[in-house]
Amino acid sequence: MMRAMPAPKKALFLAAAAAVLFVGTFLLSNFLRGADRGLLCSFSPLFSRPFTGGADVRGELALALIHYATTSQVPQQLRAEIQLTFDVLRRRAPCNFLVFGLGRDSRMWSALNAGGTTLFLEEDKEWYELVLKGSPSLRAHHIKYRTRLDEADKLLKGYRAEAECRPGRADGVAGLRRNGGCPLALVGLPDEVYEKEWDVVMIDAPKGYFPSAPGRMAAIYSAVVMGRGRRGEGQTDVFLHDVDRKVEKAFALEFLCQKNRVGATGRLWHFQIPPQKVALAHYDVEPTTTL
């Protein structure tokens, strides 16, 4: 007669099983649907990594399945939130996917964009090293921010006074790479961040829940600058997590713009940022957003 499984082990088993079913559904669906449409991307070939297909993609998907099948950790976002991003990746992958933050869901994001370029940016050095130790195949960089969460209100109210922060002066690579005069611009990042054209951007970092944390102000601003400077076809899909927090919400409404929001679920908002040739009228009025 088989003995009953101890409660702690049973809980671990159930968590692992749930992870397999949860992530496996997304990964397999992505691969099968993508194969039917040829896995074409909408961005300029100049900025894309050619799709190699075949064993490389199947191998990446298989490794992700094995990872989630053998761990009790599950992705940090809710299923409905993941589905929102997944629907866009299913349409655009393989593409250039920039993710602010490393986490328990990083393998999943990389696998959902199998054959494309998925790059993670992480500010916590210890966490960066820990994640890469367990997932050395992830493409990631450790970066530093110049902002603090307790400066968010000052940054939001004062950015219009900084000429280097204004649209036209701050669009695309030139608006970020060496734009030290704009405190919201992400300068000093690895070259590939500036040299690639990002089709999808996920902002789920850096930390933004204590005063000395970097906050996501610069990530939000810089995602808009990159989107406005887009040279390829189409728009830039930007996802922002934790919009229940006042700083994320305020900066989203000021920079990503309510009229660009095309989807939302849980704590995740989805925006489509048009290139600079499409006017963003909300920059022509005085800011009304306050923290």
Side-chain angles (χ1 to χ4, degrees):
M1 182 176 179
M2 183 177 294
R3 298 179 58 186
M5 184 181 297
K9 291 186 177 180
K10 184 177 181 179
L12 180 61
F13 172 79
L14 291 175
V20 175
L21 292 174
F22 180 74
V23 180
T25 300
F26 280 112
L27 300 185
L28 289 177
S29 176
N30 180 60
F31 175 70
L32 293 174
R33 291 172 185 261
D36 291 338
R37 8 174 230 98
L39 291 174
L40 298 177
C41 213
S42 62
F43 54 81
S44 169
L46 178 63
F47 295 91
S48 67
R49 189 175 78 178
F51 171 55
T52 56
D56 290 341
V57 174
R58 288 194 294 271
E60 189 169 352
L61 293 170
L63 287 174
L65 284 172
I66 291 172
H67 169 75
Y68 289 107
T70 56
T71 179
S72 60
Q73 297 181 339
V74 295
Q76 293 155 285
Q77 293 186 19
L78 300 176
R79 181 187 178 91
E81 294 171 341
I82 294 173
Q83 183 73 52
L84 193 64
T85 307
F86 170 67
D87 288 341
V88 172
L89 288 175
R90 183 170 57 186
R91 171 172 54 85
R92 304 199 70 169
C95 62
N96 288 337
F97 184 18
L98 181 64
V99 183
F100 287 87
L102 274 171
R104 296 192 297 271
D105 50 10
S106 295
R107 275 181 176 263
M108 179 191 67
W109 293 131
S110 182
L112 291 177
N113 189 35
T117 297
T118 304
L119 180 66
F120 300 90
L121 303 178
E122 173 60 46
E123 102 280 0
D124 188 318
K125 182 66 171 178
E126 292 185 5
W127 179 246
Y128 167 82
E129 294 174 348
L130 179 63
V131 173
L132 290 189
K133 183 178 180 180
S135 304
S137 63
L138 293 177
R139 192 169 183 169
H141 293 294
H142 172 249
I143 66 172
K144 295 182 179 180
Y145 291 85
R146 298 184 293 160
T147 55
R148 286 172 52 107
L149 186 65
D150 56 10
E151 299 173 343
D153 191 41
K154 176 182 176 181
L155 290 168
L156 186 61
K157 292 178 179 178
Y159 84 92
R160 289 172 182 265
E162 301 287 346
E164 293 82 356
C165 293
R166 295 186 63 81
R169 291 283 297 275
D171 286 323
V173 173
L176 293 179
R177 196 168 202 166
R178 298 180 180 86
N179 193 359
C182 178
L184 288 170
L186 287 177
V187 299
L189 299 181
D191 289 342
E192 68 174 318
V193 178
Y194 304 113
E195 293 170 357
K196 286 189 180 297
E197 188 146 279
W198 301 102
D199 304 288
V200 182
V201 179
M202 169 64 73
I203 304 173
D204 205 1
K207 296 185 185 72
Y209 52 87
F210 56 93
S212 61
R216 298 179 186 173
M217 301 84 71
I220 293 170
Y221 172 85
S222 297
V224 174
V225 170
M226 288 187 279
R228 281 177 53 82
R230 184 178 181 84
R231 287 162 284 178
E233 294 296 324
Q235 301 179 333
T236 303
D237 287 286
V238 177
F239 294 90
L240 174 63
H241 199 226
D242 297 317
V243 293
D244 57 316
R245 301 194 305 214
K246 64 179 183 179
V247 169
E248 278 81 353
K249 180 177 289 187
F251 274 75
L253 294 176
E254 181 67 21
F255 295 106
L256 292 167
C257 190
Q258 177 67 21
K259 70 177 183 180
N260 294 328
R261 196 176 80 175
V262 295
T265 186
R267 296 180 295 144
L268 185 73
W269 282 356
H270 174 206
F271 299 84
Q272 287 185 331
I273 306 303
Q276 59 182 342
K277 58 187 176 183
V278 180
L280 295 181
H282 80 292
Y283 280 108
D284 297 329
V285 299
E286 290 302 313
T288 58
T289 306
T290 57
L291 298 182

